Amino acid sequence: MVNKLEIQSKMMQAVETVRRTNPMAGSITNTVTINLVANAQLAVGGSAAMVYLPDEAEFLAKAGGAMYINVGTLLPIYEETLPYVAKVLHETGKPWVLDPVAVGIGSLRTKLLQQLKAYKPTIIRGNASEIIALAGLWGLDGGTDESNVRGVDSTDSVSEAKAAAIALAKWTEGAVAVSGETDLVTDGSMMAFCYGGSHFMEKITGAGCSLGGVAAVYATATSPFIAALTATAVYNVAGKRAELKVDGPGSFQVQFIDELYKATAEDIANNSLDVEEVSFL
Ligand SMILES: Nc1ncnc2c1ncn2[C@@H]1O[C@H](COP(=O)(O)OP(=O)(O)O)[C@@H](O)[C@H]1O
Ligand SMILES: Cc1ncsc1CCOP(=O)(O)O
Ligand SMILES: [Mg+2]
């Protein structure tokens, strides 16, 4: 039985804990959106630290409360850094978030994402095509061999990614967040649909990447499902509010960070949300 009030209460606790404790979530992320990732993490109350090298990544994995790995742009050193730090995170039981940006494109990205399967990301956050393609790469239900990923964008709908998201969550025993106009968050047994945000979020680079970084901040304070849900909800609140105050994507990005900063625990927990049990039919 899904208890929506209990879920909302846990979301509020996560927001308040992060605001109170300023937890550090280290990131290995892409060079396109790295600044927005860090600023979004700070806006919700986290502390950001971005690295590329194996020993620095190990340090952050051990020193921080969670870690974020995003494969949007790859550097040769990632061939060493990513599997090394993912192993450390998995073996120490530290939460970590994977954004499989552009899965299916390029041999190194494919090799690294295949290697990361064994280290079971606590949260996987991607758009619908990325979630479907990752499930396919990992040989799980709902996945496809032919990626519909178009660069970093999705050509599939969130509902088309439902089976893949459930299969990924069951494999990792964590949570999966599929982002889009309506977001889907699942832990394999519960499924939440989250509403809000703005069409402008498709017109700025890094809305998805930074959402993954914010999920890592909340993963320092709560369960994978609640962390993914809270991050998704604060993005929906901030996007909706920012849209009302701007008339273009440039000013939207600036206002969006302000709205992330201003959103209260009540605003976030009360954002429009439907939760149901995953039907096993
Ligand atoms: N059309 C839309 N309307 C409202 N929110 C959206 C829309 N498209 C994306 N978002 C929001 O933007 C964020 C990033 O989602 P998305 O653009 O799907 O990820 P990515 O950037 O990885 O492709 C999420 O918070 C999502 O809810
Ligand atoms: C454009 C681009 N190219 C490689 S990573 C990246 C940013 C993708 O950001 P997001 O997935 O949040 O749109
Ligand atoms: Mg993305």
Side-chain angles (χ1 to χ4, degrees):
M1 182 65 189
V2 174
N3 183 334
K4 184 173 174 181
L5 287 176
E6 181 183 356
I7 287 170
Q8 290 173 305
S9 170
K10 288 178 177 176
M11 291 169 72
M12 287 181 66
Q13 288 167 23
V15 172
E16 288 158 355
T17 299
V18 163
R19 290 258 185 238
R20 185 176 67 252
T21 63
N22 183 228
M24 191 270 282
S27 295
I28 304 163
T29 189
N30 69 72
T31 55
V32 177
T33 62
I34 190 167
N35 177 266
L36 182 58
V37 172
N39 280 326
Q41 290 180 315
L42 268 59
V44 301
S47 169
M50 287 34 193
V51 294
Y52 298 108
L53 304 180
D55 60 339
E56 294 175 348
E58 180 178 18
F59 179 88
L60 291 185
K62 291 176 177 173
M67 198 140 195
Y68 179 44
I69 293 178
N70 173 306
V71 295
T73 53
L74 298 176
L75 301 170
I77 192 63
Y78 280 22
E79 189 159 9
E80 184 184 344
T81 301
L82 294 194
Y84 180 74
V85 74
K87 185 172 188 290
V88 169
L89 290 160
H90 183 62
E91 290 177 352
T92 57
K94 193 64 69 70
W96 68 282
V97 177
L98 172 64
D99 184 338
V101 182
V103 42
I105 296 174
S107 56
L108 178 56
R109 179 175 284 103
T110 300
K111 175 185 172 184
L112 288 172
L113 287 172
Q114 280 168 326
Q115 287 177 305
L116 294 181
K117 176 182 180 184
Y119 303 125
K120 297 195 173 189
T122 314
I123 295 170
I124 299 168
R125 198 297 320 173
N127 63 47
S129 294
E130 289 164 342
I131 295 300
I132 293 167
L134 185 67
L137 183 67
W138 287 4
L140 301 175
D141 289 350
T144 59
D145 294 336
E146 291 305 313
S147 165
N148 291 335
V149 169
R150 190 191 67 209
V152 301
D153 293 330
S154 181
T155 59
D156 296 294
S157 68
V158 170
S159 58
E160 288 171 311
K162 195 184 291 186
I166 292 168
L168 285 165
K170 287 182 182 296
W171 165 256
T172 61
E173 298 174 292
V176 175
V178 189
S179 53
E181 184 168 359
T182 295
D183 300 295
L184 181 163
V185 179
T186 185
D187 63 356
S189 57
M190 288 185 288
M191 177 161 291
F193 296 90
C194 313
Y195 310 95
S198 167
H199 64 88
F200 281 131
M201 295 165 88
E202 295 177 14
K203 298 301 179 193
I204 61 167
T205 188
C209 294
S210 58
L211 173 55
V214 165
V217 169
Y218 287 123
T220 68
T222 188
S223 71
F225 181 69
I226 297 298
L229 200 49
T230 305
T232 297
V234 71
Y235 265 56
N236 281 326
V237 170
K240 190 169 43 184
R241 289 178 174 177
E243 181 183 293
L244 297 174
K245 299 176 181 176
V246 300
D247 59 6
S251 49
F252 174 83
Q253 177 167 316
V254 172
Q255 190 65 39
F256 179 71
I257 293 292
D258 280 355
E259 298 301 339
L260 283 181
Y261 178 76
K262 293 189 291 185
T264 67
E266 291 76 15
D267 295 333
I268 297 164
N270 293 331
N271 187 63
S272 183
L273 168 73
D274 291 326
V275 196
E276 63 190 47
E277 286 188 343
V278 170
S279 59
F280 291 92
L281 298 178

